[in-house]
Amino acid sequence: MNTDIARVVVLVAVGAICFLVYRHHASGPTPPDTPPPGFLPPSRQNTTFAGPDPALHPAVGIASRGRWEPAARLLAATREKRDWALRGAYVGAFATVAVRPDGGEAAFLTAWEQAVGPDDPDLAAVRAEAVVELAWQLRGSAWAKDTSQERFRDFHGVLAVSHGVIAHAVELAPEDPTPLLADVSAGIGRGRSHEEMRALWARITALDPYHCGAHLRALQYWCAKWHGSEELATSFAREAAAAAPAGSLLTMLPLLAWLEHQPDIDKPPRYRTPEVTALVDAALADVAAAHPDHPCLLRARHLLAFFLTQQARYPEAAVEFRRVDGHVGAPPWVYFDDPAAAYCHWRDRAVRGGRRR
């Protein structure tokens, strides 16, 4: 791969899913200073990750200090096991520390290439993800009318570069859907047509039909704020959930499709209709059937904790909050300006509501 192209790959730390989602810009109430017993205050909530991962988190920290070996080992293991969902999550995490914020490439990527060459499939997958995330970081999260021409110029310039970076990663590992996930994100920015997106989606699902992370990204394309509509997003979400086996966690999709199209996400009566209650119940059953190590399980628990609280199902919500406390890097908390404060507000409401019963 051309070295100059590789050096364009830059990323400020944003999540693989979160950079696609416009925040609702809700500040959220300030939680009490003292959390309920057994829970952590806002200051001790990790805003980067959805939950703990004893293998990933230390490796990400080591990569940020310039060492590539732990990242390479983890990614090689996911490729050898063909664990594409976990690989997608790990590639996204390492992409967040891919380079310095000043535009130069991070030391760990430079050292990695020097050690193994530019044609390592794991290195290439991280670069493919990172170059697309850079584009979205340069664009920013404002609405189009509030985004400057300079930002759009930089955004589209990096997206143009991403095509070659992604193609290189796909060529090195054609059996791996991970670089194609980056292409979904790039396609949202390029305004890929419905026909083109469906063709790309067919390639991804041929490799891994129930890839949770891939479905979460593709859902964004079909939302009204991008290139679809509420009807198209809902249809995509419900068809995917209906076709997936128990434990796949694709039941998150209808909940997210519904949430994405709410003008105000803090209106409890809307959450208490029979339709939304049925969606929550289906997701609860899916979570119960999921493998404990499923890479999307903690994200599902965050989403359920919020919906259950909105439905005043406080004891059930408190169970989910207890399982994720300490990490808030997941929807819906990332939709708020202060994710930790928003999380603690809803968590405390669930815990205290349950105790009053």
Side-chain angles (χ1 to χ4, degrees):
M1 182 173 61
N2 184 288
T3 302
D4 291 336
I5 291 178
R7 293 295 181 262
V8 175
V9 179
V10 185
L11 178 69
V12 175
V14 288
I17 300 299
C18 301
F19 75 90
L20 291 177
V21 183
Y22 282 133
R23 289 181 177 178
H24 290 258
H25 293 291
S27 60
T30 301
D33 293 334
T34 303
F39 291 93
L40 298 173
S43 61
R44 294 185 60 191
Q45 302 294 331
N46 182 309
T47 59
T48 301
F49 297 104
D53 187 321
L56 175 64
H57 296 184
V60 169
I62 292 170
S64 70
R65 296 191 292 273
R67 288 182 52 199
W68 61 277
E69 296 90 347
R73 285 194 295 269
L74 279 182
L75 292 179
T78 62
R79 177 166 42 85
E80 291 162 5
K81 295 176 182 177
R82 301 175 71 88
D83 191 341
W84 304 132
L86 185 63
R87 180 174 175 80
Y90 279 11
V91 164
F94 288 115
T96 65
V97 291
V99 290
R100 302 187 308 268
D102 64 4
E105 188 168 79
F108 90 97
L109 276 188
T110 301
W112 195 349
E113 179 176 328
Q114 290 172 347
V116 302
D119 294 336
D120 177 83
D122 304 321
L123 172 64
V126 173
R127 279 187 164 144
E129 179 70 27
V131 70
V132 177
E133 290 200 29
L134 164 64
W136 285 99
Q137 178 64 25
L138 292 174
R139 185 202 181 284
S141 61
W143 295 103
K145 64 182 179 62
D146 300 319
T147 302
S148 69
Q149 290 302 309
E150 291 77 15
R151 279 187 174 272
F152 273 124
R153 181 196 62 214
D154 294 342
F155 174 57
H156 289 294
V158 175
L159 283 181
V161 170
S162 75
H163 180 76
V165 181
I166 294 168
H168 181 67
V170 171
E171 181 182 4
L172 292 173
E175 75 287 355
D176 178 11
T178 307
L180 297 176
L181 272 61
D183 210 12
V184 171
S185 305
I188 293 173
R190 295 186 191 123
R192 182 172 280 141
S193 71
H194 289 185
E195 293 73 21
E196 290 172 322
M197 182 58 75
R198 290 190 177 103
L200 174 59
W201 189 241
R203 293 174 64 192
I204 292 171
T205 53
L207 296 171
D208 190 345
Y210 310 120
H211 193 303
C212 183
H215 279 81
L216 290 170
R217 293 199 191 203
L219 175 62
Q220 290 296 312
Y221 174 88
W222 295 110
C223 285
K225 66 189 178 188
W226 290 115
H227 307 294
S229 64
E230 182 173 1
E231 180 181 2
L232 286 171
T234 300
S235 175
F236 171 82
R238 296 199 174 194
E239 288 177 10
S248 66
L249 301 181
L250 296 191
T251 51
M252 281 198 296
L253 297 172
L255 286 173
L256 280 169
W258 182 86
L259 189 64
E260 283 285 352
H261 293 91
Q262 298 306 303
D264 184 344
I265 67 174
D266 188 13
K267 294 292 182 183
R270 294 177 182 163
Y271 293 77
R272 298 173 186 177
T273 64
E275 177 187 10
V276 178
T277 299
L279 295 179
V280 171
D281 289 341
L284 282 168
D286 207 11
V287 163
H291 191 282
D293 293 331
H294 193 298
C296 285
L297 180 57
L298 292 170
R299 290 179 185 173
R301 292 196 184 283
H302 281 284
L303 195 63
L304 280 171
F306 178 70
F307 271 83
L308 288 165
T309 305
Q310 290 278 27
Q311 293 178 348
R313 297 164 68 175
Y314 298 129
E316 293 173 275
V319 169
E320 303 303 333
F321 277 117
R322 195 171 295 280
R323 287 169 169 160
V324 299
D325 197 55
H327 296 80
V328 299
W333 323 120
V334 296
Y335 292 173
F336 293 87
D337 290 329
D338 187 339
Y343 165 86
C344 289
H345 166 74
W346 291 103
R347 179 202 65 193
D348 295 357
R349 176 183 293 189
V351 173
R352 292 183 172 121
R355 287 175 181 165
R356 286 196 295 269
R357 293 195 168 193

